[in-house]
Amino acid sequence: MLPHVVARRDGYLPAEQKTSSRHATTRVLVAELIGDSVVIFLALAFSSWLRFETPLVEIGVAAPAIRWTDYLGQVVFGTVLFMLLLPHRQLYDLQRIFRFRQVVLAVMKAALTWLVAYMALSWLLRTGTDISRIYVTIAFFVTTTTFVLWRFLLLKIVSGEPIAQRLRQRILFVGWSDHARVLAQSILRDGQHPYEIAGYVPSRHEGARNGSSVFVRKLGGHDEMLDVLRQHDVDIVMLTDGDASTDETLALANLCEKEMVDFKVVPSCSQILLSCLKLQTVSGVPVLGVSYFPLDHPFNVVVKEAMDFLGGLVGLVLSLPVIAVFGYLVQRESPGPIFYRQRRLGQHGRHFWIYKIRSMRPDAESDGRVGWTTAGDPRRLRVGAFMRRWNIDELPQFWNVVKGDMSLVGPRPERPELIDKFKEEISHYNARHNVKPGITGWAQVNGLRGDTDLNERIRCDLYYIENWSPLWDFQIMLMTFFRHKNAQ
């Protein structure tokens, strides 16, 4: 039984125990606003003290004697400016309450914008004492570091029960489908989701189905919707019935509006990348369309290409001694070529040769069959099992990165023979080829590689493409070192 469901299995919630997640969220957001402003003010004040009351005062161009208190006007102005930038980066979005990585990235972006805007506006507006560039630089690092530490402390506080329980929004599914199942499983697996599954109510088209085959409990019949919403403290209704008529959908939406419950629809027919679906207008008419992905932006492409080239060059140089040692061990156990190359499909469907340290017998594919290795594969060398477990066989792929065929981080490339089959069987499979394949990726650090669930792997790959950031690339690379895989 799944944990979030068990917590509420015992019937109705007493009225005195039903604390609205909206009220709890509001209190947390107020705490964030007050805490953020206090932390930023103190960090800027401390930065001015460091600049003018410590030996740092000797650095830079000589200036009249300034006390740190003389900078209080600049401190207040800097605090207000920083606080104005934070909402623009969605720092007060419910979705980010439990997502520390996204908070760090947003804070860094806001701080960089603040760095430029603070100096420019201080000079233009002449707010009191002329701005010190050394002070602004110190303030940038001190404020960013202090802010991240404060938000980390806040995360630890709100992640504990019962606060986290009150922050989670309770979801009711109306109808059941494969998309609802995937969404429910994702919520229950990811502790950073600010959601809790209350249960489900069968749609009118499901008839007398009792829901015994699904892992989310049935809370009542469709005609009991009003009672279910009130008795189970529902915050969000997810309509997953693709056969619901327009009248039925509107009736459910109106009921949710009356009960102040959010109403959302889980598409069952539109097989598109939903996380990038945005409301746009065409000649004043609202339409839904897929917006640009992060790596569609030229600046982001340049940043990733630079990271790949420099990282690939450093990785290649550092890995040469390791490649030499394991190349010798491979040659000693199984005479033949040390390196193994294989044709793979890269960005935009371009073929390239991928390089590995050979981990199997030279005649491993003499029968012409194409497929993945499996646990206990008799074709595998003894040293090959160790290399695969610790990703050592992948080290020559730093050369692929330097050449530009691959990226340090991205979806793992597959063989063209396998892709011809996968693209027909798995939704969105070829969307992963919009970016360069990687030595490692989000799916791989989550244990999804080789002979594992393809649908889950593709879901991880698409999530990475839709949410890419340089900071996330660094995180995945670090996770790769500490999460070895089962030998296959």
Side-chain angles (χ1 to χ4, degrees):
M1 185 58 63
L2 296 167
H4 288 173
V5 178
V6 173
R8 302 289 184 112
R9 268 190 84 89
D10 54 353
Y12 303 141
L13 294 170
E16 62 272 12
Q17 295 181 10
K18 292 171 63 177
T19 303
S20 170
S21 64
R22 291 185 178 88
H23 295 160
T25 301
T26 300
R27 288 194 289 270
V28 170
L29 292 180
V30 170
E32 286 180 338
L33 283 167
I34 296 175
D36 291 352
S37 58
V38 171
V39 166
I40 293 171
F41 178 84
L42 292 178
L44 294 179
F46 179 68
S47 300
S48 66
W49 179 84
L50 282 178
R51 174 66 179 106
F52 301 112
E53 303 291 343
T54 69
L56 292 177
V57 73
E58 304 297 333
I59 301 176
V61 180
I66 299 176
R67 303 291 304 216
W68 76 273
T69 51
D70 298 332
Y71 252 57
L72 285 179
Q74 295 284 7
V75 168
V76 172
F77 176 68
T79 302
V80 173
L81 180 60
F82 211 122
M83 290 299 298
L84 290 175
L85 292 172
L86 294 182
H88 177 66
R89 294 296 177 184
Q90 289 82 46
L91 261 298
Y92 303 108
D93 190 334
L94 173 63
Q95 301 291 331
R96 291 188 172 176
I97 288 181
F98 300 111
R99 298 188 179 279
F100 184 66
R101 181 183 63 82
Q102 293 184 5
V103 169
V104 173
L105 180 61
V107 170
M108 292 179 64
K109 290 180 177 179
L112 287 171
T113 305
W114 175 87
L115 179 65
V116 177
Y118 188 29
M119 293 186 67
L121 291 175
S122 295
W123 182 81
L124 289 172
L125 301 177
R126 296 291 195 273
T127 55
T129 311
D130 288 340
I131 194 73
S132 165
R133 286 171 292 181
I134 296 178
Y135 158 71
V136 175
T137 304
I138 295 173
F140 169 78
F141 289 104
V142 171
T143 306
T144 304
T145 303
T146 307
F147 193 99
V148 169
L149 291 174
W150 143 247
R151 280 303 188 95
F152 179 76
L153 175 62
L154 181 65
L155 174 64
K156 289 298 182 183
I157 295 173
V158 302
S159 296
E161 301 294 344
I163 298 178
Q165 181 69 34
R166 294 177 179 177
L167 288 175
R168 296 191 189 105
Q169 293 183 298
R170 290 173 55 76
I171 296 177
L172 173 71
F173 291 100
V174 178
W176 195 253
S177 66
D178 289 339
H179 295 275
R181 176 184 56 80
V182 169
L183 177 57
Q185 289 176 334
S186 175
I187 292 172
L188 294 168
R189 275 198 309 266
D190 186 357
Q192 295 182 332
H193 269 303
Y195 304 113
E196 178 182 358
I197 298 176
Y200 94 104
V201 169
S203 67
R204 295 189 185 279
H205 301 91
E206 291 177 296
R209 174 182 168 185
N210 59 17
S212 59
S213 62
V214 298
F215 59 81
V216 174
R217 66 187 179 119
K218 178 181 175 181
L219 299 182
H222 192 85
D223 294 333
E224 303 171 291
M225 185 68 66
L226 179 59
D227 290 336
V228 170
L229 294 180
R230 293 177 176 177
Q231 293 169 351
H232 294 276
D233 202 20
V234 174
D235 297 295
I236 300 174
V237 166
M238 292 275 190
L239 176 61
T240 65
D241 182 9
D243 296 324
S245 67
T246 302
D247 290 341
E248 292 170 344
T249 303
L250 289 176
L252 182 57
N254 289 333
L255 175 62
C256 291
E257 181 182 0
K258 293 175 184 178
E259 296 300 313
M260 292 182 291
V261 173
D262 290 341
F263 175 69
K264 300 181 185 299
V265 178
V266 179
S268 57
C269 300
S270 302
Q271 303 295 325
I272 55 179
L273 302 177
L274 297 175
S275 68
C276 284
L277 196 65
K278 305 294 182 183
L279 185 63
Q280 305 167 338
T281 59
V282 176
S283 298
V285 178
V287 297
L288 287 174
V290 179
S291 64
Y292 287 108
F293 298 111
L295 286 174
D296 288 334
H297 196 289
F299 178 78
N300 290 339
V301 173
V302 171
V303 170
K304 188 167 177 65
E305 292 279 355
M307 288 171 52
D308 287 339
F309 181 77
L310 294 176
L313 201 58
V314 172
L316 185 62
V317 172
L318 295 179
S319 64
L320 284 177
V322 181
I323 293 174
V325 169
F326 280 90
Y328 168 75
L329 295 176
V330 169
Q331 183 66 229
R332 183 177 177 180
E333 180 179 348
S334 172
I338 295 174
F339 298 105
Y340 169 72
R341 73 171 191 171
Q342 194 176 70
R343 189 174 293 276
R344 297 291 177 97
L345 199 66
Q347 187 179 27
H348 305 315
R350 186 174 62 87
H351 292 74
F352 70 97
W353 292 104
I354 193 174
Y355 296 94
K356 295 185 178 185
I357 303 175
R358 181 168 60 87
S359 60
M360 305 182 78
R361 299 195 314 263
D363 60 347
E365 293 188 343
S366 58
D367 58 2
R369 293 194 306 170
V370 176
W372 291 308
T373 56
T374 57
D377 197 316
R379 303 172 299 169
R380 188 184 56 206
L381 304 177
R382 291 190 301 275
V383 68
F386 180 84
M387 288 193 299
R388 283 176 171 268
R389 185 176 182 85
W390 295 98
N391 301 299
I392 296 172
D393 59 321
E394 313 280 3
L395 291 178
Q397 290 166 34
F398 281 119
W399 174 240
N400 287 112
V401 175
V402 173
K403 287 176 59 183
D405 295 328
M406 294 177 63
S407 173
L408 293 173
V409 181
R412 284 295 294 169
E414 297 289 358
R415 302 179 67 171
E417 300 89 344
L418 297 175
I419 289 174
D420 288 340
K421 176 183 178 182
F422 296 157
K423 69 182 182 180
E424 301 296 335
E425 298 178 350
I426 303 174
S427 299
H428 319 313
Y429 185 85
N430 265 343
R432 66 203 298 272
H433 296 123
N434 288 325
V435 300
K436 286 184 180 180
I439 295 180
T440 186
W442 184 238
Q444 284 65 46
V445 298
N446 282 283
L448 297 168
R449 68 186 306 162
D451 191 13
T452 53
D453 189 336
L454 270 176
N455 287 289
E456 288 298 320
R457 285 168 56 185
I458 300 308
R459 195 169 293 114
C460 284
D461 288 340
L462 296 182
Y463 184 79
Y464 169 80
I465 294 171
E466 296 165 1
N467 298 277
W468 174 87
S469 72
L471 186 63
W472 198 11
D473 271 3
F474 281 118
Q475 177 187 345
I476 292 173
M477 285 187 279
L478 288 174
M479 291 172 69
T480 302
F481 287 104
F482 297 104
R483 294 190 180 181
H484 61 80
K485 58 182 177 179
N486 294 327
Q488 289 185 354

